[in-house]
Amino acid sequence: MQFCLGELMRVLEWSDLPIFLAIAREGTLGAAARKLGQTQPTMGRRLRALEEAVGAALFQRTSDGFVLTDEGQAMLGPALRMEEEALALQRQLAGSVGGLEGMLRVSCSDWFGVTMLSPVLAEFAGMHPAVVVEVLTDPRLYSLPRREADLVMRIRPFDEPEVIARRLVTISYGLYAKPGLWTPVAGDGAGCRLVLMDTAFGGMPDVGWVTRLLPKAAVVSRSNSREVQARLCALGAGLAVLPRPLGDSSPGIALVDLGEAPPSRDTWIGYHRDLRRLPRLRALVDLILQRLAN
């Protein structure tokens, strides 16, 4: 079975498009439902109705999740093109809307949102009260082309050609401890405990740095949240490598000098080129650059 774009538009409701693509991308009904803010039974009903309209099974149900059938693979390309056309239209319409009002969705890490971005957003709210800024701080990378976010700040550079991006700020890191509790010695670390990033982020430079300098220290806790790491450090759970803006402003912890500073990290800011003339986005980007760029 082959689908051309015109044929697919005749059998596919616009509301079916995100259902099909979410299941194809996520691999399970549960994950797709969470992605779209739907319930799993609703996703299942919508998929069955779509397969009945198409006249073919689009996914094979396996123990590992949903896998596209040949018919599903044939439908995927045209569905992606439909999505891209719809998203491009949304971005163009959004980018042409004048006035400093409306919503902006911003993505960044938890600690960056709390420590670095919140003061800027508070200032922005006073300047432009008709603009609602929605801040997303979970660790996944939000897609600018799919309009999952309007503005993204992250430690990984952007490589999408349609994204306008620049380095925003270089963040220094430091090793912190509850005062008087730990006296680590570089090259040893015996008797010390560490609070690290979780295993999914185990390749981050600060993890390699602290385990190299304190090879005998015991790992007692891991978290993908720098805020959680800082709190555990303040409660005496262990030493933690933290961004200096967070660590220096966190009560109950102090900087530890091992004679070598942890590696710094760059934070990048990016937005889709179709939104470059959107006044509310331009105003927010300009203020962020004024307050945070170095």
Side-chain angles (χ1 to χ4, degrees):
M1 178 182 292
Q2 295 292 326
F3 291 94
C4 70
L5 195 55
E7 290 172 344
L8 187 57
M9 291 178 68
R10 285 194 293 272
V11 300
L12 186 67
E13 297 285 342
W14 280 109
S15 58
D16 292 330
L17 181 65
I19 300 292
F20 171 73
L21 290 176
I23 298 172
R25 286 171 175 140
E26 302 298 325
T28 68
L29 284 181
R34 290 190 293 273
K35 176 89 171 180
L36 299 181
Q38 302 282 340
T39 66
Q40 186 168 330
T42 297
M43 295 289 288
R45 289 194 298 270
R46 296 287 298 277
L47 175 58
R48 288 192 296 272
L50 173 58
E51 291 179 325
E52 290 175 4
V54 172
L58 300 175
F59 294 94
Q60 179 182 354
R61 283 70 167 171
T62 73
S63 58
D64 294 326
F66 281 52
V67 178
L68 286 167
T69 61
D70 290 343
E71 291 78 8
Q73 286 286 357
M75 183 168 156
L76 182 61
L80 288 170
R81 290 194 294 275
M82 287 175 64
E83 178 191 50
E84 179 53 36
E85 290 294 327
L87 291 172
L89 178 60
Q90 290 178 15
R91 291 192 301 266
Q92 290 167 11
L93 291 174
S96 65
V97 175
L100 284 164
E101 60 182 6
M103 192 181 82
L104 288 173
R105 178 174 285 189
V106 177
S107 170
C108 63
S109 64
D110 60 341
W111 83 265
F112 193 92
V114 172
T115 305
M116 304 288 288
L117 192 58
S118 289
V120 182
L121 295 182
E123 182 180 359
F124 184 79
M127 297 166 62
H128 307 292
V131 180
V132 178
V133 180
E134 183 177 90
V135 183
L136 310 168
T137 60
D138 58 282
R140 78 180 183 90
L141 297 180
Y142 285 83
S143 171
L144 290 167
R146 293 204 297 270
R147 289 220 67 195
E148 294 177 344
D150 300 307
L151 182 65
V152 172
M153 280 152 281
R154 69 190 198 191
I155 59 175
R156 182 184 300 177
F158 296 85
D159 54 12
E160 302 93 332
E162 65 270 36
V163 173
I164 297 174
R166 58 160 286 176
R167 188 188 64 80
L168 174 62
V169 60
T170 298
I171 302 291
S172 297
Y173 281 64
L175 179 65
Y176 291 85
K178 185 175 182 178
L181 191 58
W182 310 106
T183 55
V185 176
D188 186 7
C192 296
R193 300 198 297 263
L194 298 178
V195 177
L196 301 181
M197 295 295 294
D198 72 331
T199 52
F201 295 90
M204 295 188 73
D206 59 276
V207 177
W209 176 86
V210 73
T211 53
R212 174 175 60 83
L213 264 67
L214 301 175
K216 296 182 182 179
V219 178
V220 296
S221 185
R222 298 180 186 270
S223 174
N224 65 354
S225 168
R226 297 288 189 184
E227 292 275 326
V228 171
Q229 292 174 38
R231 183 61 178 152
L232 287 171
C233 182
L235 291 170
L239 298 136
V241 180
L242 302 169
R244 287 289 304 268
L246 171 62
D248 292 352
S249 62
S250 296
I253 60 177
L255 201 61
V256 175
D257 184 9
L258 292 181
E260 177 185 328
S264 60
R265 298 299 300 269
D266 288 334
T267 294
W268 298 77
I269 185 170
Y271 54 92
H272 199 282
R273 64 188 178 196
D274 287 347
L275 301 182
R276 63 188 181 276
R277 295 187 181 91
L278 185 62
R280 60 182 181 272
L281 178 65
R282 188 68 262 163
L284 179 57
V285 170
D286 288 345
L287 186 60
I288 291 172
L289 293 178
Q290 290 172 21
R291 298 293 181 261
L292 300 183
N294 65 14

